[in-house]
């Protein structure tokens, strides 16, 4: 086995120090977008034991009033993508037209969607256990132009 040269040691130490500094800075001032050098908060935090548990869903409404669950199977869009862009959808609900288009592309024979909603269901929690009660809040709504 050959010994590591001085240049090799300095390079490795420099790379290790750089990664260490990036991890340290990311830990204190980073966000999820800086992963892997920032904290991945999804796994590093928890809700208080009596706080409701949010569950986001996307649903569409046909012209007849039927409600359609617009999950990944129906649209090809993962729920995490919707949740991650929720502020953008709230600022500009017309962006939800893309969800309607994705649904129509996968289900060409289905009734057209006239409305898309992002709904947050908050499940009641008491002492860390579900209560069986929930509330729904529509946080973003888009209606198709007529």
């Amino acid at each position: 086995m050959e010994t590591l040269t001085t240049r090799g040691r300095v390079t490795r130490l420099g790379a290790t120090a750089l990664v260490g500094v990036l991890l340290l800075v990311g830990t204190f001032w980073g966000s999820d977008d800086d992963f892997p050098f920032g904290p991945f908060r999804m796994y590093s935090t928890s809700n208080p034991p009596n706080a409701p548990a949010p569950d986001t869903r996307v649903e569409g409404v046909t012209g007849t009033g039927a409600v359609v669950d617009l999950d990944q199977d129906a649209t090809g869009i993962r729920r995490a993508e919707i949740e991650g862009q929720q502020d953008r959808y709230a600022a500009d609900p017309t962006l939800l037209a893309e969800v309607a288009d994705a649904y129509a592309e996968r289900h060409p024979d289905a009734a057209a969607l006239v409305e898309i909603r992002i709904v947050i269901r908050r499940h009641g929690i008491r002492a860390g256990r579900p209560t069986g009660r929930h509330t729904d809040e529509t946080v973003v709504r888009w209606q198709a132009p007529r």
Side-chain angles (χ1 to χ4, degrees):
M1 179 182 282
E2 294 182 37
T3 58
L4 195 60
T5 66
T6 302
R7 181 177 177 187
R9 273 191 223 117
V10 168
T11 301
R12 287 184 183 192
L13 286 172
T16 302
L18 177 63
V19 169
V21 168
L22 288 172
L23 286 170
L24 186 65
V25 169
T27 298
F28 291 106
W29 296 286
S31 68
D32 284 349
D33 294 335
D34 302 320
F35 185 79
F37 296 107
F40 200 42
R41 296 192 195 286
M42 181 168 99
Y43 297 113
S44 66
T45 61
S46 65
N47 292 339
N50 294 324
D55 181 20
T56 303
R57 72 178 185 272
V58 181
E59 57 187 30
V61 181
T62 67
T64 63
V67 177
V68 178
D69 185 22
L70 299 177
D71 59 9
Q72 183 174 348
D73 292 336
T75 63
I77 302 170
R78 295 178 312 132
R79 182 175 76 172
E81 294 175 39
I82 298 290
E83 289 175 342
Q85 299 297 320
Q86 190 170 317
D87 290 340
R88 287 185 60 225
Y89 290 124
D92 184 7
T94 61
L95 295 173
L96 286 173
E98 295 172 0
V99 176
D101 293 343
Y103 176 77
E105 191 174 302
R106 285 183 168 231
H107 305 278
D109 297 331
L113 299 175
V114 297
E115 182 178 5
I116 306 287
R117 303 185 285 229
I118 298 177
V119 179
I120 298 177
R121 173 166 286 179
R122 290 184 173 79
H123 296 275
I125 304 289
R126 186 81 179 139
R129 305 305 242 168
T131 64
R133 292 186 224 115
H134 66 269
T135 58
D136 286 344
E137 176 189 5
T138 301
V139 294
V140 182
R141 174 176 283 147
W142 168 80
Q143 291 187 317
R146 297 181 184 208

